[in-house]
């Protein structure tokens, strides 16, 4: 039994209705929706894919990132930052979302097991690996080892401890999203990673240090603390990639099996080679462009930050009083295009195999399960998220 609970109190008493994890909350919703709307939702799950759209945009995004990296060598640092803000951040987010679709099996045609000369699984591995480049730190290792477990473990405090994540001997991360949310949300459990230095165990956590600087009711201060810790950690990841490429080992995860370290080394060596080529052709500003493209969409005041920092909070359902562990951001058609459907996060956790461009249809099919309207103010959303941090995915739902 999972230790994390999503609780619902009745209107007339303080009795607690039987608790469920956030992951099971989505499974129950999915079951109810299929019972009522299975004729429409079923084909979306079984048959739809984003192959034509997704592969086209993946090629466009990666070629654009490569070309703009080369262009950045001729620009000033300020111009590089503006170029990364747009369109660089958009292309980087698109790359993540398309590879995310690939991981869930909704990018390639679901009717085919082979594509030209390659088996489906081999083509998926190929696209996930090489489609993650060029990058400054990339999305590959998170997607390969941390995202599918995120769906299975969402809201389970045993899987959301930083100490557990860094000291685990399992190949996969227990919940890869914890590596991100630790910068901006409350977690339970002990902190990590811990290193032995001079015979002493020293725990060092960039995310925890930044989060400890937050103050309730101070959104600007908290946003700055988040941006500083998040961007510093991402910068250190680029350094760590070089270390892994040289030594063949990721020292932040000392207990993980040899297969994990071998794959880390293989990816880092290829990624560092691509970065080295860009640096040789266009100088250090090509890498600055990639770094900013991968980070800016995650931090305020970038509009995409609104959906990133609120996708797994602990909001109360206004009707039932229950804790809602996932949320979407509905800010209009252009916002959905700019984020390539990443904003439909609750929908995605309900039905992970529905492709990115079809997720929005769930609001039409099952309207009582999702909020109405498309007028979310992304800046108000960010202000609220940084005013007072919530627990990750209803991890402490009894705060309601």
């Amino acid at each position: 039994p999972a230790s994390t609970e999503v609780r619902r109190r009745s209107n007339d008493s303080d009795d607690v209705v039987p608790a469920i994890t956030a992951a099971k909350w989505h499974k129950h919703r999915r079951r109810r929706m299929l019972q009522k709307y299975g004729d429409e939702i079923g084909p979306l799950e079984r048959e739809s894919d984003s192959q034509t759209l997704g592969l086209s945009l993946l090629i466009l995004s990666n070629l654009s990132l490569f070309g703009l990296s080369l262009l950045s060598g001729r620009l000033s640092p300020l111009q590089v930052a503006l170029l990364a803000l747009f369109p660089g951040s958009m292309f980087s987010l698109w790359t993540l979302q398309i590879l995310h679709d690939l991981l869930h099996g909704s990018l390639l045609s679901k009717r085919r097991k082979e594509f030209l000369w390659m088996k489906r699984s081999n083509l998926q591995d190929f696209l996930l690996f090489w489609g993650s480049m060029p990058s400054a730190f990339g999305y590959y290792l998170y997607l390969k080892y941390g995202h599918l477990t995120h769906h299975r473990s969402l809201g389970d405090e045993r899987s959301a401890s930083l100490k557990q994540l860094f000291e685990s001997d399992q190949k996969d991360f227990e919940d890869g999203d914890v590596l991100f949310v630790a910068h901006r949300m409350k977690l339970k459990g002990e902190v990590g990673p811990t290193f032995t230095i001079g015979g002493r165990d020293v725990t060092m956590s960039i995310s925890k240090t930044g989060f400890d600087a937050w103050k309730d009711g101070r959104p600007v201060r908290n946003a700055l603390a988040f941006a500083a810790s998040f961007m510093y950690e991402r910068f250190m990841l680029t350094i760590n990639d070089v270390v892994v490429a040289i030594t063949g080992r990721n020292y932040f995860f000392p207990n993980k099996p040899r297969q994990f370290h071998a794959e880390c080394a293989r990816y880092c060596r290829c990624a560092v080679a691509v970065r080295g080529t860009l640096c040789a052709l266009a100088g250090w500003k090509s890498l600055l462009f990639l770094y900013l493209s991968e980070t800016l969409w995650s931090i305020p005041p970038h509009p995409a930050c609104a959906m990133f920092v609120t996708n797994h909070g602990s909001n109360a359902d206004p009707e039932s009083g229950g804790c809602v562990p996932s949320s979407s951001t509905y800010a209009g058609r252009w916002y959905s295009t700019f984020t390539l459907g990443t904003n439909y996060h609750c929908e995605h956790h309900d039905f992970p195999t529905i492709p990115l461009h079809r997720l929005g249809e769930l609001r039409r099919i099952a309207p009582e399960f999702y909020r109405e309207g498309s007028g979310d103010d992304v800046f108000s959303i960010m202000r609220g998220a940084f005013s007072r941090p919530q627990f990750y995915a209803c991890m402490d739902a009894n705060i309601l």
Side-chain angles (χ1 to χ4, degrees), residues 153-274:
S153 304
L154 180 65
D156 185 347
E157 67 185 61
R158 298 171 303 177
S159 302
S161 158
L162 284 173
K163 179 181 176 67
Q164 170 69 18
L165 205 70
F166 284 105
E167 295 184 2
S168 172
D169 60 0
Q170 303 299 307
K171 181 183 67 175
D172 293 329
F173 299 121
E174 284 73 8
D175 180 350
D177 276 42
V178 171
L179 295 168
F180 310 127
V181 300
H183 290 270
R184 53 181 168 80
M185 306 196 88
K186 298 178 182 179
L187 297 171
K188 291 186 175 182
E190 297 181 65
V191 179
T194 298
F195 302 94
T196 301
I197 302 176
R200 298 175 55 193
D201 288 340
V202 180
T203 300
M204 296 183 291
S205 173
I206 296 172
S207 57
K208 184 66 165 57
T209 300
F211 190 63
D212 284 345
W214 284 42
K215 300 290 184 184
D216 279 358
R218 302 282 296 278
V220 175
R221 173 196 174 105
N222 299 340
L224 290 173
F226 166 70
S229 67
F230 188 81
M231 295 191 73
Y232 177 64
E233 184 180 79
R234 302 299 105 176
F235 174 75
M236 295 304 296
L237 286 178
T238 66
I239 305 300
N240 186 61
D241 279 0
V242 178
V243 174
V244 174
I246 294 172
T247 66
R249 189 168 182 81
N250 193 326
Y251 293 96
F252 284 99
F253 307 98
N255 301 322
K256 287 196 174 295
R258 182 179 301 176
Q259 181 184 357
F260 173 86
H261 293 286
E263 186 62 17
C264 281
R266 185 173 79 97
Y267 172 75
C268 288
R269 285 163 185 163
C270 294
V272 169
V274 172

Side-chain angles (χ1 to χ4, degrees), residues 345-391:
H345 206 76
C346 186
E347 290 86 341
H348 168 64
H349 272 263
D350 289 337
F351 297 94
T353 61
I354 292 181
L356 55 88
H357 66 302
R358 306 294 299 272
L359 284 170
E361 295 180 32
L362 289 170
R363 299 179 69 201
R364 174 188 58 79
I365 295 171
E368 69 270 33
F369 287 89
Y370 302 103
R371 289 190 296 112
E372 295 181 350
S374 299
D376 287 353
D377 184 336
V378 295
F379 298 106
S380 294
I381 290 173
M382 283 186 271
R383 189 182 307 115
F386 288 106
S387 291
R388 285 178 178 80
Q390 297 181 346
F391 272 94

Side-chain angles (χ1 to χ4, degrees), residues 46-63:
R46 295 188 303 270
E47 302 170 8
S48 63
D49 61 72
S50 59
Q51 182 170 294
T52 301
L53 174 66
L55 288 179
S56 299
L57 291 181
L58 181 62
I59 294 170
L60 172 65
S61 297
N62 285 341
L63 287 179

Side-chain angles (χ1 to χ4, degrees), residues 62 65-67 69-70 129-137 241 245 266-283 286-287 290 294:
N62 285 341
L65 289 171
F66 193 89
S69 297
L70 295 177
F129 189 91
W130 293 106
S132 300
M133 305 177 204
S135 64
F137 51 85
D241 279 0
R266 185 173 79 97
Y267 172 75
C268 288
R269 285 163 185 163
C270 294
V272 169
V274 172
R275 294 166 203 164
T277 301
L278 284 171
C279 197
L281 293 173
S286 63
L287 303 186
L290 289 175
E294 289 171 56

